[in-house]
Amino acid sequence: MQLIKVFSVIYLTAVCAAQGGDDPEDVTNVFRDVTPTTPPITTAYVPPVPSLQQQSAWLDVFPSEKVVLNCSVAGSSDWSFTWSRSGQDIQASDPSVSLSAEGSVLTVTADAQTSSGSYSCKGLHKTKGVTTPESNTLKLTVYPNVPKPTLSQSPDYAEMFPKETVTFTCTVDVSSEWEYLWYHNGIEIQAPNGNSFRIDSIDHPHSGDYHCKAKRGSFYTDDSNKTTLKVSDPPKPFLKVLTPWEEVFVNETVDFGCEVDSPDWAFTWYRNQVQIKGDPYLSPDRDEPYFNITSITQDYQGGYACKAHLETRGVISEFSNTVDIIVYENTPKPTRSKNPGFNPMYVGETVNFTCNVNVSFGWEYQWYKDGEAVNPTGKSIIFNLSLSDGGKYGCTARRGESTYTDISNVKQQEVLEIPVPSLKKTTPWSDVFPAESVKLSCEMNDSSSWIYTWYKDGQKVQADGGNGATLSISSASSVHAGQYNCMGHLKGRSVSSSKSSGFDLTVHGEKPSVTLTQDPDYKVMFPGESVSFSCDIGVSSGWKYQWYKDGQRLGHSEKTYQIHPIGTTSGGSYECRVQRGTDPGVTYSSQPISLKVENNKPKPSMTQHPNVDKLYTGEPVSFECQVKLSSGWEYSWYKDGNRLSVDSSTYNIKDAKLSSNGIYKCMARRNKTMYDTEDSDERLLTISEIPVPSLKKVTEWLDVFPAESVTLSCGMDGSSDWKYTWYKDGQEVQKTPDNNVSFDLDASTLNIYSASSLNRGQYSCSAKLKSRSVNSNSSSGLTLSVYDTTPRVTLMQNPSHEVMHTGDSVTFSCHINVSTGWKYLWFKDDSPLAESGENHNITSVLTKNTGSYKCQTKRGSSAVFHSSHSQAVKLDVKERPKADIILLTGWSEVFSTDSLVLKCGVQNSQDSWNYTWFKENQPIDVLPSEKHIVTPQNDPDQSQYTCRGIRTGRPSYSKISDHLRTKNLLLKRRVLLSISGCIFFGIIAVFIGCIILRFTRKPAADEYKPEEAELFARMDQIKDRDDAPCPLVQYITDAALNASPKEGDENGTICSETTPLPITSQEEQVVTTESQDETDNNGGLVSFKQ
């Protein structure tokens, strides 16, 4: 396209130059010398009237909106323009306007104060200085305020229901060309363009606030007022029965009412989910919420419901609740019940008769006694019985005016007088001693379930359990004396008798006391001993004695009971009882005495204090002998079988000696019965000399360095009962700020946490028992040496090459010249490495192993001592050079050979190398060589090849090369060359064909050419016109010359190809040459009409 424009400029310039002669003043002079065929016509030049047009879509705008006006002169661009507003010139400095370069385009930014008015323009010729008349005018109106749309809703119900249709209308009452934006709950929604927004089937999500606003270009109005759309489900009707019951009988009336919370609803009625219509006996009114069945039959039994309708809006509610109407064909028979259900009953009791129809409700009841109506009446009748109320009772029921039941079953009710109780005594006497028992009984002359209440002197007292027919006083006292009566009460009923006749009871002030004594009074006795019990009562006479052991009566009735000798079965609880009369319940017992008989002869327990197995000379020791059972014992002591002259329960040794060693025991004897115990267990008393403590080193070494820690321990045969004192060179060691010494809890361990010359010397210790005042002699000594300086550490490298290559191995060794127990720390570039002992090995170095290496030693566990660092040894690791394979067989040889020549080289290396070759990772048995030839004979399987460089210097070998697979390389190259050749010659052929076609194509005949508008005025039209422009100037404008070429449709690309060779694998890249020819032919062929 650019070439077309250039050729056009050249052509027109040539035409103008050929016609214009040598006058350079004006290109239009080329026409002055043309001899006219007709006489010249002289006309005055009349400037054209500019045309003022609006480029914006509207001329009534709002503040900040822009309006664009265009002023133009038809057929010419040599004009500049001036503008006026309402007759006043518009200056370029006016901030509310902007002009294009020549003033042809005026952009007005609306301002209500100054921008309104009628706009016009004038043109001024750039070269002739001619001014045109004023153009047509355009009136611009600027409104002072931003408009606010008005939002309306149709229909405008306060509440709408799902599936109804609603339309919102947004109106701006000024200007035009508005686009409308719609918002739901403040969020813009997508709606068809227009001032109406319609929702055809609303649902609950559509509820909310709606508003709108309008825009025109980039100008937006204010938001409209908000309209709230409320979407609710239609109200659910409530169906209720207006008559009193839902269970009815044939011919009764049933009325329904259907209730809705809001007015204007119509109603339809349903039985068993089927609408009721067409029934001659049922005619529900759709406008009324009532439905009546006047004389029901069983055909109308079922579940009734209703629906509500807004017929003008097409809204139907859901079903109301369902009311089930049950229709009974026959009237029921009442059931009669009585509470309480006793028969007979007694005068004064309350009875409740109840009549009940268990089908439906709303019944009225009538009672009958012996066939006569009872008044007042009702469902229940309650009254207090008298003798005249005995008889037969029944009832009937009715509902409304037409429904009556049969009479219920009748039943006889008996009424009796209440009997008087009889009180009787069962105890033989009426005067008793305290703690004696008394028993009385109360009886009625019938067999009913009576409960009895007892009274003493008119006050209620507690009877025995059960029905209270007996009153028992198990232990009489003065408070029990008085007159006793009883009354009867029917269980579970409000029937009470009158009181019985009285009974007077006398109680003495004190009960007799019985005393039991034992001689001897030992609590525990042993077989062979004797004992005697005596029973005594200090009041009255005529008593009989009974003896009991463990609650079992013994066959003895005397006042005294003896046991001689005591046997193993004699132990137990003994008591005696006294009795008078024949009633065994009138008995007085003594306090029990417990006699315990030990079957086995007692054995004293002997204890030692202090209770330790080992005692040391000079310590005090005592023994104690004790019989834990009973009392009255005397003791005897024995040592090594010989009796000692001691008879107390303790034996003391104030100052133990080695001669105090021996076996000790004791025994006991009871003084009243002369009964001897067994001997106690023997106790061996061992007296030993005080041992000497053992001093040991906890730290493995006793030659230490300044600030190193040392620990010594002192012990006594593994015992923890001792505490220790430490000495250095015979002087007690005290903890001071200078000697850096500390002790554990018992001082069994001495810790020097930072050794110095002050700590040199011989150390010993002594011990003292914690619980007793026993002190040992001092232990043997241990000598501690403290060096004056820290040790020296040396680091060595093997091999000691200054430069290593990746894959080499290297070992660092760390040496220290003094003492033992060292552990080794390793560092690289002052960063710690993992501990690896005295040697640090790198089996295969990498470039990242380059750095400065050091070592350090340490020893100790809790307080670790570190030596100084060794000297630094620098390790420099360089990347081992890598071999690579080059294919020497060229593209030009692919059709003349069947072999491939491979060449191995070491990358970026100037050294001299030999090379070894590998096939499928196995060495090839050939002499080391730089080249290797692959033929179908030595490689029929087309294998994978690698190579490696070797030499005598360092590095002695290179990295192995990448793999090269020879599979089908020659065939692939041949195919690629064939394809590339075809593509290349095809492109050449297309290019030549385009050229031939361009030059051999003929223009169409004139008769077939469409009539075209002339681009230029003819010579005879313009030669006499002074203002006629040159055709070149009229046709070619600045905008056309400066326009940038368009891509695709204006850049002509002729026969260009980019032909990359296809590469489908790593091996094919070796034999592929990328070729890319990019040819950009910008040009074309231009034809002008002559």
Side-chain angles (χ1 to χ4, degrees):
M1 193 63 179
Q2 291 285 12
L3 289 176
I4 294 174
K5 294 177 180 180
V6 172
F7 289 154
S8 300
V9 170
I10 296 172
Y11 173 77
L12 293 175
T13 303
V15 171
C16 291
Q19 295 179 355
D22 296 330
D23 187 359
E25 183 177 350
D26 192 342
V27 293
T28 56
N29 291 336
V30 297
F31 302 105
R32 292 178 180 175
D33 296 335
V34 178
T35 303
T37 56
T38 58
I41 301 174
T42 302
T43 58
Y45 175 69
V46 178
V49 177
S51 172
L52 177 58
Q53 297 177 340
Q54 66 180 71
Q55 292 186 354
S56 301
W58 46 83
L59 287 175
D60 49 344
V61 296
F62 300 90
S64 77
E65 276 197 284
K66 294 183 182 296
V67 176
V68 180
L69 305 177
N70 181 39
C71 187
S72 62
V73 175
S76 175
S77 62
D78 290 344
W79 299 89
S80 61
F81 300 91
T82 58
W83 295 82
S84 61
R85 177 173 55 232
S86 300
Q88 300 294 323
D89 291 339
I90 296 176
Q91 304 299 324
S93 59
D94 190 337
S96 64
V97 301
S98 63
L99 295 168
S100 62
E102 297 179 354
S104 60
V105 177
L106 175 67
T107 302
V108 181
T109 302
D111 183 346
Q113 301 298 324
T114 61
S115 301
S116 296
S118 296
Y119 286 78
S120 61
C121 64
K122 291 181 179 181
L124 175 64
H125 198 279
K126 295 179 181 179
T127 58
K128 300 182 186 228
V130 178
T131 301
T132 68
E134 191 169 15
S135 69
N136 57 302
T137 61
L138 293 176
K139 184 177 181 180
L140 175 63
T141 302
V142 180
Y143 296 99
N145 298 317
V146 176
K148 180 177 181 178
T150 301
L151 179 63
S152 60
Q153 174 187 334
S154 177
D156 58 349
Y157 301 126
E159 183 179 33
M160 299 193 69
F161 303 104
K163 297 185 179 180
E164 286 194 284
T165 298
V166 65
T167 301
F168 297 98
T169 302
C170 190
T171 304
V172 179
D173 55 2
V174 293
S175 194
S176 59
E177 303 295 329
W178 295 104
E179 296 180 14
Y180 293 89
L181 306 177
W182 295 91
Y183 296 86
H184 178 210
N185 292 330
I187 301 174
E188 185 175 355
I189 55 177
Q190 299 298 321
N193 189 20
N195 69 333
S196 294
F197 173 50
R198 176 186 175 94
I199 305 175
D200 290 324
S201 180
I202 62 175
D203 205 345
H204 293 287
H206 295 110
S207 295
D209 292 333
Y210 287 82
H211 75 275
C212 66
K213 65 181 178 181
K215 75 169 185 176
R216 190 169 65 179
S218 60
F219 175 76
Y220 289 83
T221 67
D222 289 339
D223 290 347
S224 71
N225 57 302
K226 290 184 178 179
T227 296
T228 300
L229 176 64
K230 182 179 179 182
V231 181
S232 305
D233 288 324
K236 181 178 179 179
F238 177 72
L239 178 65
K240 66 179 182 180
V241 180
L242 301 179
T243 47
W245 41 78
E246 297 176 6
E247 296 177 337
V248 296
F249 298 91
V250 173
N251 296 326
E252 286 191 303
T253 297
V254 179
D255 294 332
F256 297 97
C258 190
E259 297 181 353
V260 181
D261 292 338
S262 55
D264 302 329
W265 293 88
F267 302 90
T268 53
W269 300 87
Y270 297 82
R271 181 176 66 239
N272 298 330
Q273 303 294 314
V274 177
Q275 185 175 352
I276 299 173
K277 54 185 178 179
D279 192 325
Y281 299 100
L282 303 176
S283 56
D285 189 347
R286 286 179 57 88
D287 295 331
E288 295 296 329
Y290 304 108
F291 175 52
N292 174 261
I293 305 175
T294 56
S295 182
I296 199 166
T297 65
Q298 283 194 318
D299 294 336
Y300 296 107
Q301 177 171 288
Y304 285 81
C306 64
K307 283 186 178 182
H309 304 260
L310 280 177
E311 297 183 347
T312 58
R313 295 167 61 178
V315 176
I316 303 175
S317 74
E318 60 178 311
F319 277 107
S320 69
N321 57 303
T322 300
V323 175
D324 292 321
I325 298 299
I326 300 174
V327 182
Y328 297 100
E329 184 174 4
N330 300 316
T331 56
K333 183 177 181 179
T335 58
R336 181 196 63 82
S337 61
K338 180 174 75 79
N339 184 32
F342 308 119
N343 198 19
M345 295 184 72
Y346 295 93
V347 173
E349 283 193 277
T350 300
V351 67
N352 181 1
F353 290 101
T354 301
C355 189
N356 184 54
V357 177
N358 58 5
V359 177
S360 192
F361 56 94
W363 298 98
E364 298 177 359
Y365 297 91
Q366 176 64 52
W367 283 93
Y368 299 88
K369 174 180 174 274
D370 297 331
E372 297 294 332
V374 176
N375 291 307
T377 189
K379 183 174 182 179
S380 298
I381 56 174
I382 303 173
F383 54 93
N384 295 325
L385 290 172
S386 63
L387 289 175
S388 63
D389 291 324
K392 295 180 179 179
Y393 288 84
C395 66
T396 61
R398 75 171 186 175
R399 188 168 74 174
E401 298 296 330
S402 60
T403 304
Y404 294 87
T405 69
D406 295 332
I407 192 167
S408 68
N409 296 328
V410 296
K411 192 170 184 179
Q412 178 73 34
Q413 177 63 56
E414 297 180 12
V415 182
L416 303 177
E417 288 284 359
I418 302 173
V420 178
S422 172
L423 187 149
K424 298 178 181 180
K425 65 176 182 177
T426 58
T427 303
W429 46 80
S430 299
D431 56 335
V432 295
F433 290 95
E436 284 192 289
S437 63
V438 178
K439 188 172 184 179
L440 305 175
S441 66
C442 192
E443 296 178 355
M444 302 291 280
N445 60 359
D446 63 12
S447 58
S448 299
S449 299
W450 291 93
I451 297 175
Y452 299 91
T453 304
W454 291 84
Y455 299 89
K456 183 179 80 70
D457 298 332
Q459 300 297 320
K460 187 175 181 181
V461 294
Q462 184 65 39
D464 293 349
N467 62 354
T470 60
L471 174 64
S472 298
I473 302 173
S474 60
S475 180
S477 66
S478 60
V479 298
H480 295 108
Q483 188 181 63
Y484 287 83
N485 304 90
C486 67
M487 288 180 61
H489 306 271
L490 272 178
K491 184 178 181 180
R493 298 160 66 178
S494 59
V495 178
S496 299
S497 73
S498 58
K499 288 183 179 180
S500 69
S501 58
F503 169 75
D504 293 323
L505 177 66
T506 301
V507 181
H508 294 285
E510 295 180 356
K511 74 175 183 177
S513 176
V514 181
T515 302
L516 178 64
T517 59
Q518 173 188 339
D519 183 40
D521 59 350
Y522 300 142
K523 299 298 181 183
V524 179
M525 301 193 75
F526 301 92
E529 293 187 284
S530 298
V531 68
S532 175
F533 295 100
S534 297
C535 188
D536 184 54
I537 185 168
V539 66
S540 192
S541 60
W543 300 101
K544 295 180 182 179
Y545 296 91
Q546 300 172 357
W547 289 92
Y548 291 85
K549 176 193 172 199
D550 297 330
Q552 299 296 322
R553 186 170 180 177
L554 301 174
H556 189 75
S557 58
E558 298 298 328
K559 185 177 181 179
T560 302
Y561 178 65
Q562 292 185 347
I563 305 174
H564 179 76
I566 291 175
T568 57
T569 61
S570 300
S573 178
Y574 290 83
E575 67 174 318
C576 71
R577 301 176 186 173
V578 296
Q579 174 186 349
R580 68 173 185 171
T582 59
D583 186 0
V586 185
T587 304
Y588 301 98
S589 300
S590 70
Q591 81 284 1
I593 293 178
S594 179
L595 177 64
K596 182 177 181 181
V597 179
E598 276 293 330
N599 294 336
N600 299 320
K601 182 176 283 194
K603 183 177 182 178
S605 63
M606 186 176 69
T607 57
Q608 172 188 324
H609 183 75
N611 188 21
V612 294
D613 294 333
K614 183 186 292 186
L615 289 163
Y616 299 99
T617 55
E619 286 193 271
V621 63
S622 65
F623 295 98
E624 182 180 5
C625 191
Q626 184 182 13
V627 179
K628 295 181 180 180
L629 297 175
S630 195
S631 59
W633 302 99
E634 295 179 353
Y635 296 90
S636 301
W637 290 92
Y638 300 86
K639 176 179 180 276
D640 297 332
N642 299 316
R643 184 169 179 175
L644 301 173
S645 58
V646 177
D647 58 2
S648 66
S649 62
T650 59
Y651 175 64
N652 298 313
I653 303 173
K654 294 181 179 180
D655 188 6
K657 299 178 177 57
L658 293 178
S659 60
S660 302
N661 288 332
I663 298 174
Y664 292 80
K665 68 178 180 179
C666 68
M667 65 167 292
R669 172 176 288 180
R670 188 167 262 172
N671 54 4
K672 290 184 179 182
T673 60
M674 303 305 291
Y675 181 79
D676 292 335
T677 67
E678 293 184 359
D679 292 342
S680 69
D681 291 333
E682 296 177 339
R683 182 72 182 247
L684 176 63
L685 178 62
T686 302
I687 307 298
S688 304
E689 294 287 352
I690 301 173
V692 177
S694 173
L695 177 61
K696 298 179 181 179
K697 60 177 182 178
V698 178
T699 306
E700 298 178 13
W701 43 85
L702 289 176
D703 54 334
V704 297
F705 299 91
E708 197 170 3
S709 64
V710 179
T711 303
L712 303 177
S713 69
C714 190
M716 294 287 276
D717 299 331
S719 173
S720 60
D721 298 331
W722 300 83
K723 59 182 178 180
Y724 302 89
T725 304
W726 291 84
Y727 304 90
K728 181 174 78 74
D729 298 333
Q731 301 295 321
E732 184 177 350
V733 178
Q734 300 289 340
K735 181 179 179 181
T736 66
D738 298 330
N739 59 9
N740 298 329
V741 169
S742 64
F743 305 97
D744 65 357
L745 182 62
D746 298 328
S748 62
T749 301
L750 168 68
N751 180 46
I752 303 172
Y753 52 83
S754 180
S756 67
S757 59
L758 293 176
N759 301 118
R760 294 191 188 110
Q762 187 180 60
Y763 287 82
S764 61
C765 64
S766 66
K768 180 182 182 302
L769 273 176
K770 297 177 183 178
S771 58
R772 289 136 56 192
S773 58
V774 178
N775 295 289
S776 75
N777 295 325
S778 294
S779 68
S780 58
L782 287 176
T783 301
L784 176 65
S785 299
V786 181
Y787 294 103
D788 292 328
T789 59
T790 58
R792 184 162 104 38
V793 181
T794 304
L795 178 62
M796 301 177 63
Q797 174 187 335
N798 182 34
S800 59
H801 302 309
E802 293 182 357
V803 176
M804 307 289 289
H805 293 84
T806 52
D808 289 342
S809 64
V810 64
T811 300
F812 295 97
S813 299
C814 193
H815 302 280
I816 188 167
N817 61 346
V818 67
S819 197
T820 59
W822 299 103
K823 294 183 180 178
Y824 296 86
L825 305 175
W826 292 90
F827 301 88
K828 173 179 175 287
D829 297 332
D830 295 327
S831 297
L833 302 173
E835 292 188 15
S836 59
E838 185 178 357
N839 296 323
H840 178 66
N841 299 315
I842 306 176
T843 56
S844 180
V845 298
L846 303 171
T847 55
K848 68 179 181 179
N849 297 127
T850 297
S852 178
Y853 288 80
K854 295 179 184 178
C855 71
Q856 185 185 21
T857 59
K858 70 174 183 177
R859 67 179 180 182
S861 55
S862 59
V864 180
F865 172 76
H866 291 82
S867 71
S868 59
H869 287 83
S870 69
Q871 83 285 5
V873 175
K874 183 173 179 59
L875 177 64
D876 187 8
V877 181
K878 296 187 178 299
E879 188 69 38
R880 187 177 299 277
K882 182 178 180 180
D884 59 355
I885 299 178
I886 302 173
L887 181 63
L888 296 181
T889 302
W891 286 86
S892 60
E893 303 175 75
V894 298
F895 294 103
S896 63
T897 181
D898 286 333
S899 63
L900 295 173
V901 179
L902 309 180
K903 179 182 178 181
C904 186
V906 176
Q907 300 174 358
N908 303 321
S909 176
Q910 303 299 323
D911 298 323
S912 177
W913 296 84
N914 285 327
Y915 301 93
T916 56
W917 292 85
F918 301 86
K919 181 170 71 174
E920 300 294 341
N921 297 323
Q922 298 297 321
I924 302 175
D925 188 14
V926 296
L927 292 176
S929 173
E930 182 182 17
K931 297 180 181 179
H932 181 70
I933 300 175
V934 181
T935 64
Q937 291 74 28
N938 64 14
D939 188 14
D941 296 330
Q942 299 183 354
S943 304
Q944 184 173 262
Y945 287 86
T946 55
C947 69
R948 181 168 63 191
I950 56 176
R951 62 193 293 266
T952 56
R954 298 192 74 257
S956 59
Y957 62 92
S958 72
K959 289 184 183 178
I960 200 162
S961 69
D962 295 332
H963 295 86
L964 175 65
R965 183 175 293 279
T966 60
K967 184 176 183 179
N968 296 329
L969 278 180
L970 287 174
L971 177 60
K972 291 176 182 178
R973 285 194 171 190
R974 290 168 180 170
V975 172
L976 287 174
L977 285 176
S978 300
I979 294 172
S980 300
C982 293
I983 293 173
F984 176 76
F985 286 110
I987 292 172
I988 296 300
V990 170
F991 182 75
I992 294 173
C994 291
I995 294 174
I996 295 173
L997 180 62
R998 179 68 189 95
F999 285 101
T1000 56
R1001 187 181 64 181
K1002 293 181 179 181
D1006 290 342
E1007 59 270 27
Y1008 298 107
K1009 292 181 182 179
E1011 185 176 358
E1012 297 177 1
E1014 293 183 354
L1015 294 178
F1016 308 105
R1018 295 192 307 274
M1019 293 298 180
D1020 57 351
Q1021 294 175 344
I1022 63 174
K1023 71 174 183 176
D1024 294 331
R1025 291 179 55 184
D1026 294 337
D1027 61 339
C1030 177
L1032 177 62
V1033 175
Q1034 185 175 0
Y1035 181 73
I1036 301 177
T1037 66
D1038 293 340
L1041 289 175
N1042 296 328
S1044 59
K1046 297 182 181 178
E1047 295 181 357
D1049 58 347
E1050 293 183 3
N1051 292 342
T1053 303
I1054 301 175
C1055 301
S1056 66
E1057 291 288 339
T1058 301
T1059 314
L1061 294 180
I1063 300 174
T1064 60
S1065 67
Q1066 180 181 0
E1067 292 80 4
E1068 293 175 356
Q1069 293 179 15
V1070 179
V1071 298
T1072 303
T1073 300
E1074 295 185 357
S1075 173
Q1076 182 176 0
D1077 294 332
E1078 298 181 356
T1079 305
D1080 294 333
N1081 296 323
N1082 295 328
L1085 299 176
V1086 181
S1087 174
F1088 290 91
K1089 180 180 178 180
Q1090 300 295 327

